[in-house]
Every structure is written in C-alpha cells, then in structure tokens.
Amino acid sequence: MKNVFLQLSIIGILFIFVPTGMKANTAPDSIHTLKHVMKIHVAVPDSALKLLDVMENRKLEKPCLINAQRSLSYSQKRQPQMSVNYALKALQDTTLRSERLYYLQTMSCIAAAYQRLANYEQSIHYLTEGIQFSREIGHKQTEADFLFTMGENYYALNQRQEAYDCFEQAIQLLENEKEFRMKPTLSYFYGQLTNYLAGEQKYNEAIAISNKREDLINQMKKQKGIPQGYIDQQLSYLYIKQAYLYAQLGILQKASTHFEKFSATRYSKHKAAHIDITAYRLAMKQYKQIIDYYQKTDLTELTADTISQEFIGILSNLSEAHRGMNDFQKVLQYQQRMQVIEDSLNARNWKNEVAELATIYKLQEKEWHIRQKDEQLRNSFIIQTLLGCAFALALVLLWLAVRHINTIKKKNQLIAGKLDSLMSYEEELEKLHRQIDESKISVAEEQEREDSINKDLFRKMERIIKDEKLYLMPELVRQDMLARLSVDKNRFAQMLQENTNMTFSQYLTDLRLKHALTELKQHPNYTIQAIAEVSGFSNTRHFQRLFKAAYDMTPSEYKRHIQGKQPLEPPTD
C-alpha cells in the first residue's frame, strides 16, 4: 500500500508539470506523449508500454524518459524485476538528473520494486540517493515520502530503532511545513505509524498518534478546497482505528463511542470497511456479529479476486470468530480453505514470475541482437577506417621509400664520382712518387738530402708493400715489415704516425679498400665475397663494414653504380 502511495504522490506532481518539458506533437500523434502515457498507465499498463515502444522507434522522447515511464508501467503490472531493469537503464543516462521530477519518479520506482522483491538493502540505497536529491532541489514532500519508505524497509529488516527514526524524521519534516497541500501526506503517515505501533501492541502510543491525526483532520476540515468525501474517509479510518485500540486496552466504553462515530460516516457503509470492522469486533469479542455479517454477505462481493491475500484475510477472520465460539470444526474448514487458496496464490505468483522471467529473457535477447548489430557496424567501421589508414600509410611509406632510394642513388653517384677522382689522384701521386724516387737514386751522391730519414723509410716501406702487393696478404703483420726494414717497433710506429697519422693495421686497411674499389670498377660482375678475398680481407662482413665506414656506401651500392655506367663483363670463375 505504501509503495502505491509513494508512486502516486510523485505521479500526481509529474502529471501537473509534464507539459512544460514535453516535445510538441501534431494532433494525430497526440497519444504518443508522456502525458498521455502517464494518464493511462495505471488502468491499462500494456497499452502504455506499446505506446512507449512506438515513441522509442520514432524517437519522440529521450530514451531515459521512455525507460523511466516503462519502469512505472511495469510497476503497475506488478512485475518488479522488469521495473528495476528499466529504472536502471534510465539511471544509466546522466541527463536524467536534469529531468528532476522524472528522476525522482525513477528513484521511487526502483526503491518500491526492490522493496517488493524483499531486497530491502538495495531499496534503502536508492532511497538514500533520492533523499539527497530531494534535499538538493528543495522538494520536501518527496523527501518525506522517501524517508517514510526507508523506515518501512528498516522495519522489514527488523531494525526497529532505525525504522522509527525515519518515521519520526518524515513526520517532523511535514509537521514543520506550513503548506497545506502536504497535510494529507502527514495524515497518511500518522495512520501508518499507528498501525506499526498497534502491531507491536503499543496501544497507548498508537492512541497518542491517532489523536494527533484527529487534530490534523479537523484542521483540514476547516480548509477550503478539501473535498468532504476525503474528510469523511479520513475520519472513518481514524475512528475505527481508535475503536480498535481502545478495545485492545479494554476501555470498552470509549471503544463503543468511537465505533458509533465511525458508523456515522458515509465510508463505513463501503464494502472495503469490513476489514477494519471485523478487526474491531474481534477485539471486542463480538464473534457472533462477525459470523452473522459474513453469512449475510456474498464473500465474493467483498473482494475482486477470491485467490488473494485479502480473501485469505476474510477467511482468517471467520476462523478466529468460530474459534471464539469454540466451533473448532469450522475453524478447521476455514484453515483448509485458506491453505488451498494459499497454494493457488503461490502457483499464480510462480506463473507470474515465470512470465516475467520469460519477458526479461525476450527483452535481453532482443537487446543482445541489437548490441550484436551495433558491434558489427562498429567493427565494420573500425576495419574500414583501419584499412583506409593502412592504405594511406602504405602510400606515404611508398613515397618515402622512393624518395629515399632516389636520395641514396644520388648520394652514391656523388660518392662514387669522388672515389673515382680520388683513385685517379692516387695513381698520379704514385707516379710522381716513383719519379722522385728514381731521381734520388741517380743523383744521390750529388744532391743534398732534403727529406728526413723517416720519410725515406716510409717511401721504402710503401714501395715494398705496393710493388710486391703485400697488402693483399691477409696474414701480413707489422713484425714482417720490421724485419724487412731492419728497424725497431718504436721507430716504425713513429715513421707511420708522421707520414700517415695511422697505425699499421689502418694503413693496410686503407690500401686494401682502395684495391677493392679498383676491383669493383674493373670487375663489376665479381661477387662481394670474391672482391673481399682478392683485396686481402678474410671476412666478407668485416670488409662490408669497413667499406661502409670509409665511403658511406656499401660495396653492393658502389657495384650497382659501376654496373649502371658500363656493360657487364662475362662472369669469371
């Protein structure tokens, strides 16, 4: 009952304010509006859900608002799990908070659904969020509703102190408000708190609360605009409850007085009043009146459904009345009927749960297919994008590769030209050195020596190495030249440093590389390994590294340059 009251109070507020936040629709589609859906969802929730599907397909409203309304509609269908699912969907959209009243409605739905599912902790969690949000926007009536509902959850968890603290906070919040529109809610809170106290047999405290409710109803009675039918109903609830409480305390005179007040109200003639009347008569031990009343009344007229907790309550009252009359055979009969109805009710609830689970499964399957399609489209887009990027990257890399090849080709051509010039200069220089040496030999005794001893020694060594092509011998070492020149190693090192600024090993490498250049130029069809071997290198890779370091190009690159300038020679063995 409390769940319904909480939701209806927020629905009423929403129904007033919805038009200002809705999209304009043409006359033919006027039923496809949240206002219309809210108007019909209580009476025909299935029709409301169909309209919401159409609105979603046409994108007439925000998805979060549509899901929020679906949650409310499923709550009316008494399918709490579906209500929770759509409420959670709505809450996933952060824009829902900007739709303040819809956000409060959604928090109310999810809290009520969890309460119906007996998941009181989760209900309290969302009520806490709802209370905080209500305080942020200054909506005190909703804050009070959430506080009272939280108290009911704590009560269900048997946390009585926390429950009564919440009840007290909710009541104080409305008692301190001057706005009269909140008084009906306060009256309802008084009535519910009276029921809780009576259930714990705290009859004196319950009477104190009912007296406060009576004062409040009398204030509302004086207020203009309050329907008299509402006042009559409130007074009938109050009087019959007070009569019951005084009967439980054994104050029978006051109990009878309040029952007479109740009987004077129009609502006392309503068939729904029989529940409270029976509770009062049981407390007064008026068993025969109870039995007579139900014997004169068609029990099926007292409730819309004979397989319901309400009908079980009627049978329970009859069972208690016959127990009071010591008619235990009737007691047993009614208890058996109650058990049959209980079993039928459990079976019906089970079928409803199965139907709800089937609906949830279908919706999840539908959502799964939608997610699959979205994922396929997303993956297709990603693949197309990646292919496009890969193609563009390939073009860029191809362009860079072509540009790099052209740059290397131009560089190699320039280096090769310089190497050719260098080789020509080396040959000319070698000829001049030989002419000078021959001239020195012929006039050695007549001409004064102009060169130093080290320079003469270097000329001698260079003539020996080049004439005998000793540099082409991989096994040639410094000790061999020391023996040929008859000098010590210190003098030999000094001579090399002054004339070449290199070590003996570096000097040999330089001669071998120059020889390799000549071989590559003369025999471009030789393999690199063959060129390395004939040039005095025992290791091809070592030769390639030295060549690259000396000339900034590989032997293969120089070889291609030479092959591009002249016809290839026949292969040699």
Side-chain angles (χ1 to χ4, degrees):
M1 180 66 183
K2 178 65 179 73
N3 293 338
V4 175
F5 176 81
L6 174 61
Q7 292 177 21
L8 288 177
S9 63
I10 297 180
I11 292 168
I13 298 168
L14 275 169
F15 194 75
I16 295 172
F17 292 103
V18 155
T20 59
M22 290 175 53
K23 296 181 179 180
N25 290 283
T26 58
D29 288 335
S30 59
I31 63 170
H32 297 114
T33 62
L34 290 178
K35 180 179 180 181
H36 180 73
V37 170
M38 197 170 297
K39 185 177 180 181
I40 68 170
H41 83 279
V42 175
V44 281
D46 289 323
S47 298
L49 289 169
K50 290 179 181 178
L51 289 176
L52 289 170
D53 290 340
V54 174
M55 291 171 65
E56 183 178 51
N57 292 333
R58 295 185 184 179
K59 298 181 179 179
L60 298 177
E61 271 295 352
K62 294 180 181 178
C64 63
L65 299 185
I66 292 175
N67 286 327
Q69 196 61 42
R70 279 180 175 140
S71 176
L72 194 59
S73 298
Y74 276 111
S75 179
Q76 291 299 320
K77 283 170 62 68
R78 296 187 177 276
Q79 294 186 10
Q81 191 58 57
M82 292 293 292
S83 181
V84 165
N85 291 346
Y86 278 109
L88 291 174
K89 279 187 178 182
L91 291 173
Q92 285 175 356
D93 191 337
T94 55
T95 62
L96 183 64
R97 286 181 69 90
S98 62
E99 304 284 349
R100 295 179 175 183
L101 296 176
Y102 279 105
Y103 181 76
L104 289 175
Q105 170 198 303
T106 306
M107 299 302 288
S108 170
C109 280
I110 196 169
Y114 275 126
Q115 188 176 10
R116 190 170 289 164
L117 291 168
N119 191 341
Y120 303 113
E121 292 85 355
Q122 278 293 85
S123 182
I124 291 171
H125 168 74
Y126 285 101
L127 286 168
T128 303
E129 289 189 22
I131 291 168
Q132 183 178 353
F133 187 77
S134 300
R135 288 171 180 168
E136 290 175 5
I137 66 174
H139 210 288
K140 292 189 177 181
Q141 182 169 343
T142 305
E143 179 187 348
D145 289 336
F146 285 156
L147 277 168
F148 203 90
T149 306
M150 183 181 289
E152 293 195 322
N153 280 284
Y154 278 124
Y155 201 92
L157 290 169
N158 205 28
Q159 298 180 25
R160 302 295 170 83
Q161 187 58 51
E162 291 83 352
Y164 283 114
D165 288 343
C166 289
F167 294 153
E168 184 178 354
Q169 290 180 52
I171 289 173
Q172 286 182 354
L173 189 64
L174 296 186
E175 284 179 340
N176 296 331
E177 281 298 311
K178 295 181 180 180
E179 290 189 43
F180 214 79
R181 63 183 179 85
M182 297 188 186
K183 299 307 179 184
T185 303
L186 179 58
S187 176
Y188 175 82
F189 288 170
Y190 282 147
Q192 289 298 103
L193 181 56
T194 300
N195 292 336
Y196 282 115
L197 291 170
E200 296 183 35
Q201 298 182 359
K202 297 178 180 179
Y203 301 121
N204 288 316
E205 294 179 40
I207 288 173
I209 296 298
S210 69
N211 290 336
K212 294 177 71 173
R213 187 182 190 187
E214 185 173 10
D215 293 338
L216 178 64
I217 294 172
N218 288 331
Q219 292 177 24
M220 289 193 292
K221 191 175 181 180
K222 299 175 184 178
Q223 186 72 22
K224 292 182 179 180
I226 301 292
Q228 288 303 311
Y230 171 77
I231 296 297
D232 180 81
Q233 185 184 55
Q234 290 290 299
L235 287 173
S236 68
Y237 289 156
L238 173 69
Y239 293 146
I240 193 63
K241 183 58 68 176
Q242 287 176 329
Y244 168 79
L245 293 171
Y246 282 120
Q248 290 289 357
L249 288 172
I251 309 175
L252 303 183
Q253 183 59 45
K254 282 192 174 184
S256 298
T257 301
H258 282 86
F259 185 75
E260 289 175 4
K261 291 181 179 181
F262 165 75
S263 300
T265 62
R266 290 193 300 273
Y267 184 76
S268 64
K269 310 302 186 291
H270 196 280
K271 64 179 182 179
H274 75 91
I275 297 175
D276 294 317
I277 294 173
T278 303
Y280 162 75
R281 293 196 182 282
L282 284 173
M284 295 288 287
K285 300 181 180 180
Q286 297 174 356
Y287 305 123
K288 190 174 186 311
Q289 288 92 324
I290 296 173
I291 295 171
D292 290 342
Y293 172 78
Y294 283 120
Q295 283 179 346
K296 295 176 183 179
T297 307
D298 184 358
L299 297 184
T300 59
E301 293 180 357
L302 297 177
T303 177
D305 188 359
T306 56
I307 302 178
S308 63
Q309 288 295 340
E310 186 178 359
F311 195 72
I312 290 175
I314 294 172
L315 297 180
S316 176
N317 290 334
L318 280 167
S319 175
E320 288 299 315
H322 282 287
R323 189 188 301 276
M325 299 289 291
N326 295 322
D327 188 352
F328 297 106
Q329 186 175 359
K330 285 286 186 181
V331 172
L332 181 60
Q333 290 176 1
Y334 282 118
Q335 287 181 344
Q336 288 174 344
R337 286 184 65 184
M338 289 165 57
Q339 185 61 51
V340 171
I341 295 174
E342 190 76 41
D343 293 341
S344 299
L345 189 59
N346 290 335
R348 178 192 287 179
N349 291 337
W350 180 79
K351 288 181 180 179
N352 290 338
E353 289 177 4
V354 170
E356 184 178 11
L357 289 175
T359 304
I360 293 172
Y361 173 77
K362 289 179 181 178
L363 288 173
Q364 288 178 343
E365 188 177 25
K366 179 181 176 182
E367 290 174 358
W368 182 80
H369 286 301
I370 292 172
R371 285 197 300 269
Q372 285 290 100
K373 289 181 180 179
D374 290 342
E375 188 174 354
Q376 289 175 0
L377 289 173
R378 186 167 55 253
N379 291 341
S380 177
F381 174 76
I382 292 172
I383 291 172
Q384 291 177 2
T385 303
L386 290 176
L387 288 175
C389 292
F391 181 72
L393 181 61
L395 290 177
V396 172
L397 292 176
L398 180 61
W399 176 77
L400 290 174
V402 172
R403 182 183 176 188
H404 179 70
I405 290 171
N406 291 334
T407 302
I408 294 296
K409 187 176 180 180
K410 291 178 180 178
K411 184 197 74 171
N412 290 344
Q413 289 176 349
L414 181 63
I415 293 174
K418 290 182 178 180
L419 288 176
D420 291 342
S421 300
L422 181 63
M423 292 298 294
S424 298
Y425 295 152
E426 287 282 346
E427 291 176 359
E428 292 295 329
L429 187 61
E430 182 68 21
K431 291 179 181 179
L432 289 174
H433 283 167
R434 288 185 179 278
Q435 290 177 4
I436 291 172
D437 289 341
E438 291 173 359
S439 173
K440 282 184 178 182
I441 293 172
S442 60
V443 294
E445 295 178 355
E446 301 175 357
Q447 188 175 2
E448 185 178 358
R449 182 178 300 271
E450 296 179 356
D451 298 323
S452 66
I453 297 174
N454 283 342
K455 194 168 185 177
D456 290 340
L457 186 62
F458 175 74
R459 296 291 185 199
K460 181 180 179 181
M461 180 198 72
E462 190 173 43
R463 188 170 55 253
I464 293 171
I465 290 175
K466 289 185 177 181
D467 288 351
E468 299 179 17
K469 297 188 182 296
L470 298 179
Y471 60 88
L472 299 180
M473 300 169 55
E475 65 274 11
L476 181 66
V477 294
R478 183 181 63 173
Q479 196 62 35
D480 296 333
M481 294 310 301
L482 292 177
R484 291 286 298 269
L485 297 175
S486 300
V487 293
D488 58 52
K489 61 180 180 179
N490 293 330
R491 182 61 178 273
F492 185 78
Q494 182 181 2
M495 173 267 293
L496 275 175
Q497 186 66 29
E498 288 180 0
N499 288 275
T500 66
N501 198 30
M502 291 187 289
T503 64
F504 184 64
S505 176
Q506 292 171 337
Y507 174 70
L508 288 178
T509 298
D510 182 63
L511 292 177
R512 289 166 179 168
L513 289 175
K514 289 175 181 177
H515 184 82
L517 284 174
T518 303
E519 290 294 329
L520 285 168
K521 190 172 181 180
Q522 293 177 354
H523 307 288
N525 58 333
Y526 278 20
T527 63
I528 301 301
Q529 183 178 357
I531 295 296
E533 290 176 355
V534 299
S535 300
F537 293 97
S538 58
N539 187 290
T540 305
R541 289 187 178 180
H542 183 59
F543 162 64
Q544 290 175 323
R545 284 196 296 270
L546 293 173
F547 195 98
K548 173 71 174 178
Y551 304 127
D552 197 25
M553 62 188 306
T554 64
S556 298
E557 290 174 339
Y558 184 74
K559 180 180 178 181
R560 285 195 293 271
H561 170 74
I562 297 301
Q563 288 174 335
K565 293 181 61 177
Q566 63 186 37
L568 295 177
E569 297 179 4
T572 57
D573 295 333

